[in-house]
Amino acid sequence: MAALIAAARAEDCPYEIVLVASDKPDAAGLTHAAEQGIATFAHSPRGIPKADYEAAIDGALRAAGVETIALAGYMRLLSGAFVAAWRDRIVNIHPSLLPAYKGLDTHARAIAAGETHAGCSVHVVNEELDAGSVLAQARVPILPDDTPDTLAARVLVEEHRLYPSTLAEFVTR
């Protein structure tokens, strides 16, 4: 999220961050956004039906004038109804070279499989987990002594480079 916010500050950036929302009220991204003067919305899904939770988020996004949703670190599956309401206007960054290693534990799975490269993908969100159209990817070599943590750190550098530029291209298409 911080990389998207930083990029949005550039004069020639075609997008503006108008709201940072989270399902975790104590998320560091909310604090960072508030420090940057960006509106925030936090709503825990605990104890409420998914449809009500998503309706609250949808309402906050629409009230803020959001046109495109850029997920960053959001680890919940969105319902088909939510995705349909925002069809082709939700993008996500995923820490693998999709379609390989959808879901969790991507770095450990790539290392265990003996892959020579890992990376990240920016994709359009659809109703299936990590299955939307891939917009861009960045490759990172897997080194012989890599652990999931060391690989994740190198992939994160590429995520921060790739996501802002891909989002900029996406919103101007």
Side-chain angles (χ1 to χ4, degrees), residues 1-17 36 38 164-165 168 171-172:
M1 183 54 58
L4 295 176
I5 291 172
R9 300 287 187 216
E11 206 168 294
D12 61 343
C13 185
Y15 64 82
E16 175 185 5
I17 308 284
Q36 301 299 312
I38 299 169
S165 62
V171 301
T172 58

Side-chain angles (χ1 to χ4, degrees), residues 43-155:
H43 191 61
S44 173
R46 289 192 173 162
I48 62 171
K50 186 172 189 164
D52 293 345
Y53 165 72
E54 287 184 345
I57 291 175
D58 183 76
L61 294 169
R62 293 183 190 283
V66 170
E67 295 174 8
T68 302
I69 299 170
L71 301 175
Y74 192 76
M75 301 299 287
R76 297 189 162 281
L77 291 176
L78 297 169
S79 72
F82 188 91
V83 171
W86 290 90
R87 171 99 36 233
D88 296 327
R89 295 185 295 151
I90 308 172
V91 295
N92 188 31
I93 183 92
H94 181 73
S96 81
L97 296 172
L98 292 173
Y101 307 110
K102 297 175 182 181
L104 302 174
D105 303 319
T106 59
H107 307 302
R109 291 164 49 209
I111 291 168
E115 300 286 355
T116 60
H117 285 82
C120 56
S121 304
V122 178
H123 66 96
V124 177
V125 173
N126 66 15
E127 291 82 358
E128 296 179 48
L129 176 66
D130 298 327
S133 300
V134 173
L135 302 171
Q137 294 182 315
R139 292 172 56 91
V140 173
I142 296 177
L143 305 176
D145 61 344
D146 260 335
T147 67
D149 289 340
T150 60
L151 180 57
R154 288 198 324 282
V155 170

Side-chain angles (χ1 to χ4, degrees), residues 15-51:
Y15 64 82
E16 175 185 5
I17 308 284
V18 296
L19 179 70
V20 172
S22 178
D23 61 337
K24 297 181 175 108
D26 61 346
L30 294 171
T31 302
H32 179 70
E35 289 169 352
Q36 301 299 312
I38 299 169
T40 62
F41 175 83
H43 191 61
S44 173
R46 289 192 173 162
I48 62 171
K50 186 172 189 164

